[in-house]
Amino acid sequence: GSEEALTEIVGFPVARGAMACGVVPSCMRDNAFTWLKKLILKKTASEIVNDNATKGDGGIQVQNSSRNSPIENIASSPLVMQRSAKTTRPKRIVALDAVCNTANMGSILRTAAALSIDAIILSDDSCDAWYRQSVRVSMGHVVSVPSMRVGDWERGLDAQGCGGEKSIIDTTAVKKNADDSQIRGLPRLIRWLRREMNVECFAAVVDDDASSDVTSCNRNSNCDSSSKTTSTKLFPPLVTLESLSQPSNGSIRGNTRSWCCVLGNEGHGISDEVIQECDNRIRIGMAKGVDSLSLPVAAGILMHGLVQLE
């Protein structure tokens, strides 16, 4: 129970050992796109593993972990399988845009594990989830929440013909919008989640309409980020956890639609390009005189709030 003992258990040695065993998600490369798509379309993580084993796509075997992608090794771990074995709930995804503080990364991972988040998506300019401090602050839960880099997902998407597979939603509106190849990185992934996978995407912000020089854009209408002008930014509507829980405001409570909550950099938040691809901006209602919360605290409140709205 001493600090030295805990450091030895969940600190640098564990991180080194995990990397030596090939379970670091940032190395998964070609499997990221396929894995994320299966995660959203399948009911549980165990179904993904069983499906891979049945089709001969490198079935998940712990003793042969060197043959499998690191994200599959994590997805098939006892911790992840136990959390997802009995649920048919919507998929819960958290995306981090340029989160650079390793302590914040570890805290978010620990909270994500506590709230059964299914996947963590890291922008390419976010810090590594497997840095020593991140592993230590997460109390080792970095191994129980699958994480992936946007760049790895993007390479898998490009290898499959830039997402040419049939969409599960109507693509009529998609054809009217700008070519997806014009955007890259996290904005492209968020657009894919929303349009192709029917995932509801929320961008966490600290501003409100009164203090932001933006024009709200309902995603059910014809306006889109591709139609923005140099003088006006078309941002999605602003909501709060409280407003989403009110039936009169179109509550999402009981909705079976999967969701993704995007969290931004500790200093400047989420980039405009990412916000414009989301369905809604979401903020935490706070008392006057308090303009912001630390990233880990805000992440915990939003994740818990969205889980409660399912």
Side-chain angles (χ1 to χ4, degrees), residues 207-209 211-216 232-236 272 281:
D207 57 355
D208 53 39
D209 286 333
S211 61
S212 301
D213 184 20
V214 300
T215 298
S216 294
T232 304
K233 297 177 182 178
L234 295 179
F235 280 1
D272 288 352
R281 290 171 295 148

Side-chain angles (χ1 to χ4, degrees), residues 262-294:
V262 185
L263 302 166
N265 177 270
E266 295 84 352
H268 53 73
I270 306 172
S271 67
D272 288 352
E273 292 77 13
V274 172
I275 295 176
Q276 289 166 343
E277 294 299 335
C278 293
D279 292 285
N280 293 287
R281 290 171 295 148
I282 188 168
R283 71 186 300 266
I284 300 171
M286 293 177 283
K288 292 183 178 180
V290 181
D291 58 358
S292 65
L293 297 169
S294 68

